[in-house]
């Protein structure tokens, strides 16, 4: 794209966004914000949280009509524009990922277009529309956190066929045409956490498994890895999986039922922060201190649960690093350099004993608290 067309591209993306949002759809208290405004909102102590989920079946739309209000980095004359397409611009987790992308883009003299479907990760058609909008406006590269591993394949391959490099972040995608995938190895991380759970409970007893939704790739990997690692402990019994639909209140209710039906329960394992928070609240309400809670992801709601020791451990991803490495990878691709196909962004286990350690705290609050 010509240098003198950069500002026109950013303006066109913004105009397309406003046109898409004019149909009366809103999400929460969403407003059009500048990149600096969004950065400020992230800097006020927000932590790395949880990604969204998957649904099925979607048709590609030529017009972006389901686009969530978006932030863009300040335009640098002569720089390129990279789209960061996620599940929601209102989520702490995705804001953190975008902050990493913006930091890398600032170093390379490029701009970021931060966007998502207006109705969140379940709005698969909306995310396809967002991708179509990015293609129509001719962005120079895309970081994509696909809301569905199958439904986003056609539109992603369309972008690639038009010469727009795509780097997949956080979530998988069932195609090999993307330049690189940067994500947590969820299965390996779950296996690691399972070993801690087993050790903490003396390698015996009943353990409940709560998954955020059925059929989601990330949740399935976190459950499968946990169950596979636990198979090495014959005196540990894993209960049938319960689902809480990515909802803290539902997780609370599921946990209450588990505690009532299983008086000998020693631990609850949840596949994201909503499950952690719901399970811990159930324990607090029932005044039970003999059951440990473990899970994935971190937020400001999880922090007091670590501080109090109710949550014994949570596997925390590195969304900031995903965004930063994603833009770095796009820059290399456009420079004709070779890049790794699969990059493990890494994760750490935060516990009541270590969460204040510098290396752990930096992952919990990559931009400071």
């Amino acid at each position: 794209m010509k240098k003198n067309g950069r500002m026109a591209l950013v303006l066109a993306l913004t105009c397309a966004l406003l046109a898409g949002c004019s149909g009366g759809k809103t999400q929460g208290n969403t407003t059009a914000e500048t990149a600096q405004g969004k950065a400020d909102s992230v800097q006020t102590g927000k932590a790395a949280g949880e990604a969204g989920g998957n649904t099925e079946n979607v048709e590609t739309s030529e017009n972006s009509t389901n686009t969530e209000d978006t932030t863009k980095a300040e335009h640098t004359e002569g720089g390129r524009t990279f789209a960061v397409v996620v599940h929601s611009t209102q989520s702490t987790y995705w804001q953190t990922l975008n902050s990493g992308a913006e930091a890398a883009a600032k170093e390379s003299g490029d701009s970021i277009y931060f966007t998502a479907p207006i109705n969140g990760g379940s709005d698969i058609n909306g995310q396809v529309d967002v991708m179509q909008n990015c293609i129509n406006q001719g962005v120079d590269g895309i970081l994509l956190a696909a809301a569905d591993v199958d439904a986003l394949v056609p539109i992603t391959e369309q972008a690639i066929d038009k010469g727009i490099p795509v780097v997949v972040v956080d979530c998988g995608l069932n195609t090999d045409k993307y330049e690189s995938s940067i994500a947590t190895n969820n299965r390996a991380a779950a296996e690691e956490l399972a070993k801690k759970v087993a050790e903490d409970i003396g390698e015996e007893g009943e353990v409940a498994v709560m998954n955020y939704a059925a059929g989601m790739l990330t949740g399935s990997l976190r459950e499968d890895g946990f169950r596979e690692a636990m198979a090495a402990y014959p005196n540990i019994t894993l209960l049938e999986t319960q689902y809480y639909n990515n909802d803290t209140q539902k997780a609370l209710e599921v946990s209450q039922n588990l505690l009532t039906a299983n008086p000998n329960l020693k631990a609850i394992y949840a596949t994201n922060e909503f499950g952690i928070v719901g399970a811990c609240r159930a324990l607090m309400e029932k005044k039970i201190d003999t059951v440990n809670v473990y899970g994935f992801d971190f937020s400001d709601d999880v922090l007091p649960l670590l501080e109090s020791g109710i949550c014994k451990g949570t596997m925390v991803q590195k969304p900031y690093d995903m965004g930063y490495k994603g833009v770095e990878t796009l820059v290399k691709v456009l420079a004709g350099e070779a890049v790794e196909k699969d990059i493990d962004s890494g994760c750490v286990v935060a516990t009541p004993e270590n969460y204040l350690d510098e290396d752990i705290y930096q992952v919990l609050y990559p931009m400071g608290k």
Side-chain angles (χ1 to χ4, degrees):
M1 185 172 291
K2 301 294 186 182
K3 290 184 178 181
N4 61 9
R6 298 297 164 194
M7 187 62 73
L9 169 58
V10 174
L11 290 174
L13 285 165
T14 304
C15 291
L17 165 67
L18 294 175
C21 294
S22 65
K25 291 187 178 181
T26 60
Q27 178 173 325
N29 295 320
T30 303
T31 57
E33 299 172 303
T34 64
Q36 185 61 51
K38 180 64 70 178
D40 290 344
S41 74
V42 176
Q43 291 279 4
T44 57
K46 296 297 184 181
E50 157 65 7
N54 300 342
T55 58
E56 300 178 353
N57 300 328
V58 62
E59 297 178 358
T60 301
S61 170
E62 292 298 321
N63 299 308
S64 179
T65 57
N66 296 316
T67 310
E68 186 176 48
D69 277 354
T70 307
T71 60
K72 56 178 173 48
E74 290 186 9
H75 175 71
T76 304
E77 190 64 33
R80 296 155 297 199
T81 299
F82 299 136
V84 176
V85 180
V86 297
H87 298 191
S88 170
T89 62
Q90 303 307 300
S91 161
T92 300
Y93 182 89
W94 300 120
Q95 290 169 1
T96 303
L97 187 148
N98 183 62
S99 293
E102 288 185 344
K106 183 177 181 181
E107 293 176 7
S108 60
D110 299 313
S111 299
I112 294 297
Y113 174 58
F114 184 38
T115 184
I118 192 168
N119 293 318
S122 62
D123 185 7
I124 308 304
N125 283 298
Q127 194 178 56
V128 172
D129 287 343
V130 168
M131 286 288 288
Q132 186 66 61
N133 181 48
C134 292
I135 294 170
N136 292 346
Q137 301 302 329
V139 298
D140 298 285
I142 298 173
L143 294 190
L144 171 65
D148 186 279
V149 296
D150 295 313
L152 268 293
V153 169
I155 191 66
T156 300
E157 292 185 346
Q158 180 182 331
I160 294 167
D161 290 343
K162 290 182 177 294
I164 302 173
V166 176
V167 171
V168 176
V169 292
D170 184 83
C171 311
L173 193 65
N174 286 334
T175 178
D176 62 357
K177 292 187 176 182
Y178 55 78
E179 299 293 341
S180 183
S181 174
I182 305 171
T184 302
N185 186 330
N186 283 287
R187 184 186 294 275
E191 291 173 353
E192 179 183 345
L193 187 57
K195 294 174 184 177
K196 173 175 173 52
V197 175
E199 180 180 346
D200 287 354
I201 65 174
E203 299 186 4
E204 63 179 8
E206 295 180 343
V207 177
V209 177
M210 303 200 316
N211 202 331
Y212 62 82
M216 304 296 189
L217 178 61
T218 297
S220 295
L221 291 172
R222 293 175 181 179
E223 180 181 341
D224 293 346
F226 186 82
R227 286 187 175 278
E228 289 168 7
M230 279 296 188
Y233 304 95
N235 295 323
I236 292 179
T237 301
L238 296 182
L239 303 183
E240 182 180 351
T241 303
Q242 303 295 311
Y243 298 98
Y244 52 92
N245 300 326
N246 251 336
D247 182 81
T248 300
Q249 181 60 35
K250 178 67 174 175
L252 167 63
E253 296 168 0
V254 168
S255 299
Q256 289 173 329
N257 292 337
L258 284 168
L259 292 167
T260 299
N262 303 279
N264 297 320
L265 196 64
K266 282 196 171 182
I268 298 174
Y269 167 67
T271 56
N272 71 7
E273 64 161 301
F274 302 117
I276 291 175
V277 175
C280 288
R281 288 178 181 172
L283 292 176
M284 289 187 286
E285 288 186 7
K286 287 182 171 288
K287 296 181 171 57
I288 296 174
D289 60 5
T290 57
V291 179
N292 296 345
V293 176
Y294 305 85
F296 267 78
D297 299 315
F298 179 78
S299 70
D300 288 339
D301 289 334
V302 175
L303 178 61
L305 305 176
L306 281 174
E307 290 174 332
S308 65
I310 300 173
C311 175
K312 298 297 184 182
T314 182
M315 190 66 73
V316 185
Q317 301 182 89
K318 299 179 178 180
Y320 185 93
D321 289 357
M322 291 181 199
Y324 188 94
K325 291 178 181 178
V327 169
E328 271 193 332
T329 301
L330 285 175
V331 170
K332 289 179 180 179
V333 168
L334 292 172
E337 299 178 28
V339 297
E340 293 183 58
K341 190 68 173 181
D342 295 293
I343 300 173
D344 183 358
S345 55
C347 54
V348 299
V349 180
T351 69
E353 295 76 28
N354 74 3
Y355 78 94
L356 288 177
D357 292 353
E358 184 177 355
D359 58 333
I360 304 296
Y361 199 79
Q362 179 62 32
V363 176
L364 302 183
Y365 293 100
M367 294 161 290
K369 187 176 188 297

